[in-house]
Amino acid sequence: PGQLPEGSYMHPEVSHDGDRILFAYCEVDSTPVRERKLEYVDRRYHLFEMRPDGTDLRQLTDGPYDDFSPKELPDSNLMFISTRRGGYHRCGAGPCWVYTLALADADGQNPRTVSYHETNEWDPAVLADGRVIYTRWDYVDRNAVHYQHLWTVRPDGSAPVAYYGNNTFNPVGIWEARQVPGSTQVMATAAAHHAMTAGSIVLLDTTRGVDGLEPITRLTPDAPFPESETYVAPVNWHAPGSPKDFVTPIEEKRWPGHCYRSPYPFSEDFFLAAYSFAPLIGEPDGNTPNMFGLYWVDAFGNKELLYRDLNISSVWPVPLRPRSRPPVHPSQTIALEGEAGAYFVQDVYARYPALPGERIKRLRIIQVLPKPPPHANNPPVGFANASPGKQVLGTVPVEEDGSAFFIAPARIPLSFQALDDQGRA
């Protein structure tokens, strides 16, 4: 008590050795409200660490950036989410910064961006094989609500690849993924787009597919997937402390009357989670401030209350104990041609969904530009709503076997168009 001013704490994470707790903290003396959000634009989350008994408190990152969701990598360095990439998110009223993966040394020194993805990324976690799983919001040139699903990346930020859901509409998104100990499956929160991260807890088995419902096992089937599945709410039901009534079954049919979040798996059947009896409410309306408590939950429909604070929500349960350290991946980033990198496409036709039957002659390389103004369509840069700015960097040939090799600039988000013999996408 008294070591830090009053503020907000997020995302506690225990190191592999169990000897320190990483967390994010932002000093703030009152609860920010939507109508006064511009008063808080100078507040930032930074990374901190301390011993399990609260001693040796130390700030790890600083500066005009948000840093949160810290995870210790197998080599003891830190991966986290940060605004260090720069630029603003392209929909809604700002300011709303873009959050992507970042790296720092174990002591917080040398923080740097390792993902220049165009939109937001969330919730990194280390897999048993040493890779990092995370949620990427991937909506360039397609529906802006869906496609907030899981990707993996090497700890140095190289080789990002879709893991699950990059062509999935239900659930809308998957967040807070962690691998189940002793299993190849991942446990996560199936949640909405227009709400906080909360919904239903699921298991993902990508040996059964990488899209749709087939790879999903619902561990909490009492909570439908919010925003993408219908829920018939009781007429005139009112949740204690809820900011609004549920007047008709039609009004809130996409929002379940209760929700789960932040699972921490012990096995495929038993896990910790945060649970709320109060309903998950989509934006722009507010949710009940003290809605979540911590529970022991199983796959058979049981949950046992462990802790609940009557004043604030309790989320992100993490066991305070050592755990095995995954293997270390040597860095694959190699300096080539200075500020550039080499790309090799083995077969441009090997994709899902399949391309039309036309012969592909070239690839057009496009840069998706960071968004400098903080508001949507201000100024508009395309016909589509909140479209990102783009520029063509060049075109490269595609060989007869579908392969292509080219050099492209580093540290920018790239998009690709497959072109026929007349240059049509």
Side-chain angles (χ1 to χ4, degrees):
Q3 293 191 78
L4 291 171
E6 186 172 358
S8 176
Y9 297 81
M10 296 200 304
H11 306 133
E13 183 70 14
V14 178
S15 63
H16 290 95
D17 294 336
D19 60 352
R20 61 177 180 153
I21 299 172
L22 302 162
F23 62 95
Y25 161 80
C26 174
E27 179 182 353
V28 60
D29 57 8
S30 62
T31 300
V33 294
R34 179 177 294 271
E35 292 75 16
R36 297 170 53 208
K37 68 179 181 179
L38 294 180
E39 298 178 22
Y40 300 93
V41 294
D42 62 333
R43 307 301 173 92
R44 296 287 183 266
Y45 280 92
H46 300 303
L47 302 186
F48 288 73
E49 71 170 7
M50 66 180 181
R51 298 294 179 185
D53 61 1
T55 61
D56 293 340
L57 177 68
R58 186 161 64 115
Q59 183 171 339
L60 301 177
T61 63
D62 204 345
Y65 313 103
D66 278 320
D67 299 325
F68 53 79
S69 295
K71 295 294 188 298
E72 185 189 49
L73 297 172
D75 62 2
S76 297
N77 291 328
L78 305 179
M79 181 164 275
F80 55 99
I81 300 297
S82 180
T83 55
R84 295 170 187 271
R85 193 215 77 168
Y88 293 96
H89 175 50
R90 57 178 147 104
C91 74
C96 181
W97 291 269
V98 168
Y99 299 84
T100 62
L101 294 174
L103 273 178
D105 299 342
D107 59 0
Q109 298 299 303
N110 192 28
R112 66 267 191 199
T113 299
V114 291
S115 174
Y116 289 82
H117 179 55
E118 186 270 337
T119 319
N120 295 326
E121 298 172 329
W122 311 106
D123 303 326
V126 181
L127 296 172
D129 63 6
R131 292 177 301 156
V132 173
I133 191 169
Y134 64 104
T135 296
R136 167 177 279 196
W137 190 350
D138 191 34
Y139 74 167
V140 175
D141 292 342
R142 54 182 184 167
N143 192 293
V145 174
H146 305 274
Y147 313 120
Q148 297 180 83
H149 286 290
L150 297 178
W151 288 60
T152 60
V153 69
R154 294 174 64 92
D156 62 359
S158 65
V161 62
Y163 179 83
Y164 166 81
N166 205 36
N167 197 42
T168 292
F169 284 81
N170 180 39
V172 168
I174 300 287
W175 281 266
E176 303 181 315
R178 290 182 185 266
Q179 187 168 351
V180 177
S183 170
T184 59
Q185 298 193 56
V186 164
M187 191 177 294
T189 304
H193 173 104
H194 295 100
M196 72 164 89
T197 297
S200 193
I201 307 302
V202 299
L203 274 178
L204 281 174
D205 182 357
T206 54
T207 65
R208 296 159 56 187
V210 295
D211 273 299
L213 293 175
E214 180 60 27
I216 290 179
T217 298
R218 299 178 189 241
L219 298 176
T220 55
D222 52 305
F225 297 159
E227 199 170 13
S228 59
E229 294 184 336
T230 58
Y231 168 79
V232 180
V235 176
N236 295 326
W237 180 75
H238 179 76
S242 174
K244 68 175 183 177
D245 293 319
F246 289 81
V247 178
T248 68
I250 304 299
E251 181 186 2
E252 296 290 338
K253 68 178 183 178
R254 294 183 303 160
W255 302 95
H258 61 157
C259 56
Y260 300 82
R261 65 169 302 166
S262 309
Y264 192 101
F266 292 101
S267 70
E268 294 176 2
D269 294 325
F270 298 97
F271 54 98
L272 300 174
Y275 171 74
S276 170
F277 292 99
L280 174 67
I281 298 173
E283 61 182 45
D285 297 314
N287 287 265
T288 307
N290 63 340
M291 59 192 291
F292 288 102
L294 304 183
Y295 287 75
W296 174 272
V297 191
D298 66 31
F300 315 108
N302 304 297
K303 50 181 171 283
E304 185 75 20
L305 176 64
L306 300 178
Y307 179 80
R308 183 178 285 276
D309 190 313
L310 297 181
N311 299 300
I312 61 173
S313 282
S314 300
V315 290
W316 304 300
V318 181
L320 185 57
R321 66 177 188 184
R323 63 190 189 281
S324 59
R325 191 179 292 267
V328 174
H329 285 252
S331 177
Q332 296 295 300
T333 56
I334 301 172
L336 178 67
E337 301 294 334
E339 297 296 302
Y343 285 76
F344 172 65
V345 181
Q346 183 173 3
D347 184 0
V348 73
Y349 300 101
R351 66 178 303 279
Y352 174 80
L355 287 171
E358 283 82 0
R359 170 85 170 87
I360 296 173
K361 300 291 288 187
R362 293 184 296 279
L363 289 179
R364 180 180 289 138
I365 317 301
I366 299 170
Q367 178 184 359
V368 185
L369 298 169
K371 186 175 183 296
H375 305 294
N377 299 312
N378 185 19
V381 295
F383 179 76
N385 178 52
S387 180
K390 300 175 185 174
Q391 64 183 11
V392 176
L393 300 181
T395 59
V396 298
V398 172
E399 305 299 331
E400 290 292 330
D401 63 358
S403 65
F405 177 80
F406 54 94
I407 305 296
R411 291 183 289 280
I412 59 173
L414 298 177
S415 180
F416 307 95
Q417 289 180 337
L419 308 180
D420 65 11
D421 56 1
Q422 299 183 53
R424 297 176 298 184

